[in-house]
Amino acid sequence: QVQLVESGGGLVQAGGSLRLSCAASGSIFSINVMGWYRQAPGKQRELVATITRGGSTNYADSVKGRFTISRANAVNTVYLQMNSLKPEDTAVYYCNAETPTYDAWGQGTQVTVSS
């Protein structure tokens, strides 16, 4: 089983930056894709960004040009650099890891952007 732990959330003013981190442990050899999702109050959980083992990335249109997903030399650590933050980015951000048979999820970290 894969376990995920997020960190780095907090309160930031509009236009500011935050970096989220996700550390995976356990049976990490089976992970094909890792990514970030977010869920705002009253909204569905939505994809923010993903990265494959080969380094291919995918972003939601709403964050392109502002957010960057990356990983450390060890593929079990993934980051989300968030720049030019907007109030509409306010949400709980969740780390996700995809294997051939199941998805693992972190506990979530709150990001609040003030106007």
Side-chain angles (χ1 to χ4, degrees):
Q1 288 287 311
V2 174
Q3 295 83 43
L4 304 174
V5 178
E6 304 103 329
S7 62
L11 175 64
V12 66
Q13 195 171 33
S17 299
L18 284 173
R19 188 178 73 161
L20 306 183
S21 299
C22 175
S25 61
S27 301
I28 61 174
F29 67 90
S30 63
I31 298 174
N32 295 320
V33 182
M34 294 189 69
W36 291 94
Y37 291 70
R38 67 186 182 187
Q39 187 166 22
K43 302 291 186 179
Q44 64 185 347
R45 188 171 298 187
E46 65 178 0
L47 172 72
V48 177
T50 61
I51 187 167
T52 69
R53 280 190 175 270
S56 297
T57 58
N58 182 47
Y59 297 92
D61 288 342
S62 59
V63 307
K64 285 181 179 178
R66 300 189 298 121
F67 291 11
T68 303
I69 188 169
S70 63
R71 53 174 165 79
N73 290 339
V75 298
N76 58 316
T77 302
V78 174
Y79 305 97
L80 184 69
Q81 178 65 47
M82 305 186 293
N83 299 325
S84 301
L85 283 161
K86 305 174 181 179
E88 50 263 48
D89 295 317
T90 295
V92 177
Y93 284 70
Y94 296 91
C95 184
N96 166 260
E98 297 179 359
T99 77
T101 56
Y102 70 96
D103 288 355
W105 293 90
Q107 81 286 353
T109 185
Q110 176 71 48
V111 172
T112 302
V113 184
S114 62
S115 59

